[in-house]
Amino acid sequence: MKVYLSVDMEGVTGLTDPEEMHAGKRGYERGCELMTADANAAVEGAFDGGAASVLVNDAHGSTKNLRIDLLDPRATLIRGPGKAQRMAQGLDGSFQAACFVGYHARAGVQHGVLNHTWMGKEIQNVYLNGDLCGETRLVAACAGFHGVPVVLVTGDEAVGEEARELLGDVETVAVKKGIDKFSAELLPPSVAQARIREATVRGLRRLSDFTPYQVAAPYTLGVEWNSTAIAAAVSLVPGVKSVGSRHTEFTTDDFTQIMALFGIFASIGGQIACGSGPYG
C-alpha cells in the first residue's frame, strides 16, 4: 500500500503565530521541528497501518520547511519550489490513500487558527464549481481526480469540522482549539502526535470505508481577490476571465490545471500585493 502525505504548517501542533510560518522570523526553526514531528507521527502510523511506502510533500509556503534530517527514514520527501501541483505534488493514481497533516480552516472561518485560503491576505474567498472552497477541499478534489481517498486530516478543530462536512467519517485530529485567528488552546506535542499516529493507523485499517472525493467536471475555479489590481493582473493569464472587479474564474476538465494555476496566481498576487504598499 502506497500512502501520500501532504503537510501544511498552520495546523501543526503548538503553532499560532504568523511569524512561525516564515523563514527568518521568530519561532520558525522550532516550527519546522514541530511540523516534522507531526509528519513523522503520520508516517509512523502509516507504516503501522500497513503502508509499504510513504511519500511526504512539503506543502507550506516556500515548501522548504520540513527537516529531512529529522524525517522518519522510511519515508521520502518532496521539497522545494517550482512544483507544478503545489500542495498535491507527487500525488497520482498509484496511491491507495492520502493524509493531510497540519491543515487549517478556509478563509473567514470563525475560530479557525491562521485561517486563510492559499494566500494569507490576498484572497477573500475561493470557489470550486460555485461552492466555497478551502485548501482541504481543493487538495481532496485533486486526490479524487486521481481516484485516491483522503483518510486523515489533522490541524485545529475548525479544519476537522470542515473536513468531516466535506468527506464524511474521515479520521481527524484536533491538535488545537481556536480562540481567535492567532490564539488557541494547545495540546502538548507528545499528546497530539500520539493521536496523529493512532488516527493514521485507524484510517488505513478502515480504508475500505472511504471513497475518493470527486467533483463533477468541468471544474470552475473562482477566486474573489482582496485587490482589484491582483484580479486585473491574473485575468491576463490565458483562460482566466474576469467576472467582477475583484473576481476571476477559470474552467477546465483537467484538475491538475487548477493546482498549477494556483501556483501562477500566488506568484502574480504576491508580487503585486508586496509591491503596492499600504493600498494592497
Side-chain angles (χ1 to χ4, degrees):
M1 175 169 54
K2 291 178 64 177
V3 177
Y4 179 86
L5 264 63
S6 176
V7 186
D8 205 355
M9 196 169 190
E10 287 86 359
V12 161
T13 299
L15 304 184
T16 61
D17 189 335
E19 294 209 352
E20 294 167 333
M21 306 295 116
H22 299 285
K25 299 293 186 178
R26 181 186 66 250
Y28 171 74
E29 294 300 331
R30 177 59 177 152
C32 291
E33 294 174 359
L34 289 166
M35 182 182 181
T36 308
D38 277 13
N40 279 340
V43 171
E44 181 180 357
F47 281 105
D48 288 349
S53 66
V54 177
L55 176 63
V56 180
N57 179 36
D58 189 327
H60 174 74
S62 69
T63 65
K64 297 184 289 184
N65 312 284
L66 287 169
R67 290 277 302 273
I68 185 62
D69 56 317
L70 300 179
L71 190 70
D72 189 312
R74 295 172 292 180
T76 56
L77 173 66
I78 297 177
R79 179 182 189 271
K83 301 185 295 189
Q85 293 300 287
R86 308 291 286 189
M87 296 184 76
Q89 184 67 35
L91 178 58
D92 60 29
S94 68
F95 290 89
Q96 282 69 56
C99 302
F100 300 165
V101 176
Y103 270 50
H104 55 83
R106 67 176 181 266
V109 172
Q110 190 175 23
H111 308 309
V113 183
L114 298 168
N115 69 81
H116 67 281
T117 303
W118 204 265
M119 302 182 75
K121 61 181 180 180
E122 293 84 359
I123 291 176
Q124 186 77 9
N125 284 304
V126 171
Y127 301 89
L128 181 59
N129 287 9
D131 295 325
L132 272 173
C133 179
E135 292 170 25
T136 299
R137 184 166 190 240
L138 187 74
V139 186
C142 185
F145 177 75
H146 294 295
V148 181
V150 178
V151 303
L152 171 76
V153 178
T154 81
D156 67 342
E157 278 193 356
V159 78
E161 293 170 2
E162 189 176 321
R164 289 189 297 274
E165 180 181 344
L166 179 73
L167 303 172
D169 191 24
V170 64
E171 293 287 341
T172 60
V173 179
V175 304
K176 48 193 158 187
K177 178 180 181 179
I179 297 170
D180 200 353
K181 186 168 184 174
F182 305 118
S183 57
E185 180 181 344
L186 307 172
L187 289 180
S190 60
V191 175
Q193 288 149 16
R195 293 183 185 181
I196 292 171
R197 184 193 66 77
E198 292 162 2
T200 309
V201 173
R202 286 196 304 271
L204 293 179
R205 287 182 176 169
R206 51 185 287 256
L207 183 58
S208 61
D209 293 345
F210 300 103
T211 56
Y213 174 71
Q214 294 180 320
V215 177
Y219 313 108
T220 296
L221 175 71
V223 180
E224 181 186 359
W225 300 92
N226 282 331
S227 164
T228 56
I230 297 176
V234 300
S235 67
L236 299 175
V237 176
V240 178
K241 62 180 181 179
S242 174
V243 293
S245 62
R246 294 188 294 112
H247 201 136
T248 58
E249 285 188 351
F250 173 78
T251 300
T252 179
D253 287 327
D254 182 354
F255 204 91
T256 65
Q257 293 183 354
I258 297 285
M259 302 303 295
L261 186 64
F262 253 125
I264 297 171
F265 279 178
S267 297
I268 295 173
Q271 184 64 34
I272 292 174
C274 292
S276 59
Y279 293 99

